[in-house]
Each structure stands twice: as C-alpha cells, then as structure tokens.
C-alpha cells in the first residue's frame, strides 16, 4: 500500500475521538444554555400572565368542593342550573384556551432548540 489514508478514514478508524468528544460537549452545553434561557423566560414572562386564571375563581366552577380548602367563588357556573349554559361553557372554554396557549408556547422552544 502506498501513502496514508485520508483524514476521514483515520477519524473513522478511531483517531480524533477526543476532538469529537470536545465538539459534542460544546454542542450539548450550548443546547442546554439555550433551552435553560427559554425556560427562564417562560417562567418570568408567560406564567405570571395566567396567575389566578382557573375555573374556580374565574367561572365559579367548584369541582373539588371543600377538599381544596378554598372559599366558594361565585361566577357564571356557580349555580347548579347554570352548568350547561352558554355563559358557563364560554367561561370554561376561555380559561382552558388560555392554559392551552401557555402550554403550547412553552413547548415550542423545546421543538426549535
């Protein structure tokens, strides 16, 4: 045989593993830093926007009863006859959509990072 194998063949044969390891560590560190920054921004910016937004305080729907220890809230769903009314369903849907919006926006950065 004449000459030495090219660098790609040498790398495949086990040479250069330390350089590959260092590159992989740098890439993983950058990924963790970006994801951590995104999660921190979500905790500081997105979660406070829905503080106090739940079915009990906003709509008056109390599913757990006295188990939760919270005082009873009055709202469009607090009366038993209003459980299937348009106002109650609108309130429940809007609160659920707010939570869903925050959940989806928090998962977007994981997809793109």
């Amino acid at each position: 045989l004449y000459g030495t194998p090219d660098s790609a063949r040498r790398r495949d044969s086990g040479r250069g593993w330390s350089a590959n390891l260092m590159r992989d560590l740098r890439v993983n560190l950058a990924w963790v830093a970006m994801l951590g920054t995104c999660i921190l921004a979500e905790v500081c910016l997105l979660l406070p926007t829905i503080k106090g937004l739940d079915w009990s305080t906003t709509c008056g729907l109390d599913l757990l009863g006295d188990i939760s220890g919270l005082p009873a809230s009055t709202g469009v769903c607090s009366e038993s006859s209003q459980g299937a009314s348009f106002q109650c369903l609108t309130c429940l849907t809007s609160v659920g959509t707010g939570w869903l919006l925050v959940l989806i926006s928090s998962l977007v950065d994981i997809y793109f990072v």
Side-chain angles (χ1 to χ4, degrees):
L1 298 175
Y2 181 73
T4 59
D6 62 344
S7 62
R9 299 285 180 219
R10 285 185 294 201
R11 205 171 297 119
D12 291 340
S13 67
R15 296 180 186 168
W17 65 270
S18 62
N20 288 338
L21 178 67
M22 292 306 291
R23 185 184 65 233
D24 289 343
L25 286 176
R26 282 194 313 263
V27 168
N28 289 338
L29 182 65
W31 183 81
V32 167
M34 287 188 292
L35 188 60
T37 304
C38 289
I39 290 173
L40 181 68
E42 289 165 3
V43 167
C44 294
L45 297 175
L46 288 179
L47 286 182
T49 61
I50 57 171
K51 181 180 180 183
L53 184 66
D54 60 0
W55 288 322
S56 177
T57 56
T58 306
C59 303
L61 182 68
D62 193 16
L63 295 175
L64 298 177
D66 293 334
I67 296 173
S68 64
L70 296 173
S73 299
T74 57
V76 294
C77 299
S78 59
E79 297 178 16
S80 61
S81 64
Q82 297 292 327
S85 69
F86 184 73
Q87 291 176 339
C88 181
L89 292 177
T90 303
C91 184
L92 295 176
T93 304
S94 64
V95 170
T97 303
W99 277 99
L100 185 66
L101 180 67
V102 169
L103 175 70
I104 289 173
S105 63
S106 66
L107 294 178
V108 167
D109 61 348
I110 295 173
Y111 176 76
F112 285 112
V113 171

